[in-house]
Amino acid sequence: MYPRKQVTAAPNSLYSADEMGFDANSMRNSVLYVGRLVDAKKPDLLVSAFELVASDLPQLRLTIVGDGPARSILERHIAETGFGERIRLIGHESRPSVLRGYYSAAIASASPGCAGLSITQSFGFGVPALIARDEPHGPEIEAASEGFNAMFFQSDDPGDLASAIRRAARQRSEVFADGAAIAECSIRRYSIEAMAAGLIQAIEGDDLCVSTT
């Protein structure tokens, strides 16, 4: 539309650089979901996948942080799994200091439905994401790089998500970059400071357009 315009990006960001970062000294034994409990996010699919791996990975836990209209159905499903003592349904939580603790215990986060800000949040704490391949993802999906900070699985397939969880648990160092590198990349590109720099460049530049992602 504006072929002569110079465009700069101001990425949609959640945290400042000093709120992000990887905890290299933590014990990691969980898969983490952070997001709304709504049908489009498909948290129930994650519970089904966890059922498939729970016997093979007896130390693994599932932590679900969020609330929404799908919560009651999710609670019933969790109660029926036989692994309810290993699944924590936390409810809504937005404080980064608290979320950092959940991410510090996670081998990977999971986006079984459409992915959005939760994946850049995960990357900011150095935690790779397991992401459904064919979903109406938000623009944040451009941050996902398979083999670096993400692994994709077939949408609506709990078996394929279960396989991704197994790989993340048993071969994490072979399928992802290290957590410090994932966090550093996210700090450079998706911190509040990075977003502000894009806006400042647009305001101070000549004849610029700004694109927020």
Side-chain angles (χ1 to χ4, degrees), residues 21-101:
F22 179 66
D23 183 354
N25 299 313
S26 61
M27 296 295 292
R28 296 177 181 270
N29 67 346
S30 71
V31 174
L32 177 64
Y33 172 92
V34 178
R36 292 175 297 134
L37 304 184
V38 295
D39 291 344
K41 298 287 188 179
K42 303 181 182 179
D44 199 52
L45 183 76
L46 178 57
V47 175
S48 295
F50 183 79
E51 286 185 85
L52 297 176
V53 303
S55 296
D56 297 343
L57 301 169
Q59 303 304 314
L60 191 68
R61 302 292 186 266
L62 174 60
T63 301
I64 299 172
V65 180
D67 209 344
R71 178 167 182 156
S72 59
I73 294 174
L74 202 62
E75 288 174 332
R76 288 197 296 271
H77 188 173
I78 291 169
E80 294 167 357
T81 63
F83 300 103
E85 75 283 357
R86 291 165 56 187
I87 303 174
R88 298 175 67 194
L89 183 53
I90 304 297
H92 175 73
E93 179 57 69
S94 60
R95 292 169 293 177
S97 59
V98 177
L99 289 170
R100 176 184 291 276

Side-chain angles (χ1 to χ4, degrees), residues 135-206:
E135 296 287 344
H137 298 307
E140 293 82 9
I141 194 65
E142 64 93 21
S145 176
E146 192 153 20
F148 176 71
N149 58 16
M151 185 192 308
F152 290 88
F153 62 90
Q154 293 302 315
S155 297
D156 299 314
D157 187 339
D160 204 40
L161 175 52
S163 295
I165 292 171
R166 288 190 184 95
R167 286 192 67 200
R170 292 174 171 164
Q171 301 171 292
R172 187 188 186 286
S173 63
E174 298 177 20
V175 296
F176 301 118
D178 66 83
I182 293 172
E184 179 58 31
C185 180
S186 192
I187 289 169
R188 289 198 314 269
R189 298 177 62 191
Y190 300 102
S191 63
I192 288 174
E193 289 86 348
M195 180 174 66
L199 291 170
I200 291 169
Q201 182 180 346
I203 292 168
E204 292 182 345
D206 294 327

